[in-house]
Amino acid sequence: KNQVEQSPQSLIILEGKNCTLQCNYTVSPFSNLRWYKQDTGRGPVSLTIMTFSENTKSNGRYTATLDADTKQSSLHITASQLSDSASYICVVSSMDSSYKLIFGSGTRLLVRP
Amino acid sequence: EAGVAQSPRYKIIEKRQSVAFWCNPISGHATLYWYQQILGQGPKLLIQFQNNGVVDDSQLPKDRFSAERLKGVDSTLKIQPAKLEDSAVYLCASSASRDHTYNEQFFGPGTRLTVL
C-alpha cells in the first residue's frame, strides 16, 4: 500500500535554532518527492521537488534530502524564523497513469521567540 | 499570474443541508483537483479533472458528493446532504500537466466547511 509517514507530528523550537523533519515512504513506482509548507488557513505551497536521481535540493533556508534506497527524506530548516511556523507536508508522486500525489499527515512546527 | 481562487472561504451548515464550493484554476491549467483535508491530516484527493473529463474519482463519496467542470475551466464541488464527518477544508489545486515528472500543483486557499 502506498503510504507516506512523517515524524515528529509536532515540534516546538526557539527562533534561530535549526530543525530536521523526517519522511518515510512506501510509494511505488516512485516519481518524485516534494515538501510543501502550509500556513494556517492557506493552501500548501511547494518548497522543493526531487526526482529519483537528486539527493539534495535547497530553497533558501530549507534543504531537503532524499535517499531513494532507504525511501527516506528529510527537510532541514536553518536559523528558524517565526514565519516558519506552519505545517510541513511530505508528498510523494507515484508514476502511475495519473501521477497521483500521496500526502503525509504533516509535521506541525511552532517557532517561539 | 493570479493563483487558484476559491469561494467561499468559510461555510457553516447543519447536517443534511446542501453546500457548493467553487474553484477557478490558474489560467491555462488543464488539470484541476479537489482535495479534502481533515484537521491534522494531509489532503486526500477527491476528484481529478483533465480539461472537462474525470481522470480519477475513486475516493469521491458519490452518494453525496458531486463535481463538475463543464467548460474545462472553473469547477464546482457539491455535497448533498452533508454529514458531520464532512467538516474539513476543501482544497482546489491546478496544474499545467505539461511535465508529468514534476506535475507541479498549485493550491488555492481552501474552503473551511463546518457541519453542525
Side-chain angles (χ1 to χ4, degrees), chain B residues 28-32 48-55 68-75 97:
Chain B
H29 279 193
T31 308
L32 184 147
Q48 176 183 343
F49 290 97
Q50 179 74 20
N51 296 308
N52 60 352
V54 175
V55 173
E68 59 183 17
R69 193 185 184 199
L70 294 177
K71 296 182 179 179
V73 180
D74 58 346
S75 174
S97 298

Side-chain angles (χ1 to χ4, degrees), chain A residues 34 36 44 101, chain B residues 1-6 23-35 45 47-50 69 72-75 91-98 102-108:
Chain A
R34 53 194 81 188
Y36 280 89
L101 299 185
Chain B
E1 178 181 81
V4 176
Q6 290 188 246
C23 172
N24 194 25
I26 292 173
S27 178
H29 279 193
T31 308
L32 184 147
Y33 313 79
W34 281 103
Y35 291 89
L45 179 68
I47 190 167
Q48 176 183 343
F49 290 97
Q50 179 74 20
R69 193 185 184 199
V73 180
D74 58 346
S75 174
L91 294 166
C92 179
S94 70
S95 69
S97 298
R98 283 190 291 270
Y102 285 98
N103 190 24
E104 179 75 68
Q105 291 188 24
F106 297 87
F107 287 83

Side-chain angles (χ1 to χ4, degrees), chain B residues 63-84:
Chain B
D63 58 334
R64 298 184 301 106
F65 286 64
S66 64
E68 59 183 17
R69 193 185 184 199
L70 294 177
K71 296 182 179 179
V73 180
D74 58 346
S75 174
T76 56
L77 176 69
K78 297 179 181 178
I79 306 175
Q80 181 179 9
K83 292 185 176 181
L84 297 177

Side-chain angles (χ1 to χ4, degrees), chain A residues 4 9 15-16 29-30 33 36 38 40-41 43 53 66 70 78 81 89 105-108 112:
Chain A
V4 177
Q9 277 191 321
E15 186 180 11
F30 174 87
L33 183 145
Y36 280 89
Q38 185 173 23
T40 301
S53 59
L66 173 64
T70 62
T78 304
Q81 300 177 359
I89 305 175
S105 296
T107 292
R108 193 169 189 86
R112 285 186 167 165

Side-chain angles (χ1 to χ4, degrees), chain B residues 5-18:
Chain B
Q6 290 188 246
S7 68
R9 291 296 313 277
Y10 305 93
K11 190 73 177 179
I12 300 174
I13 62 173
E14 294 188 349
K15 61 183 179 183
R16 291 188 288 274
Q17 285 188 321
S18 301

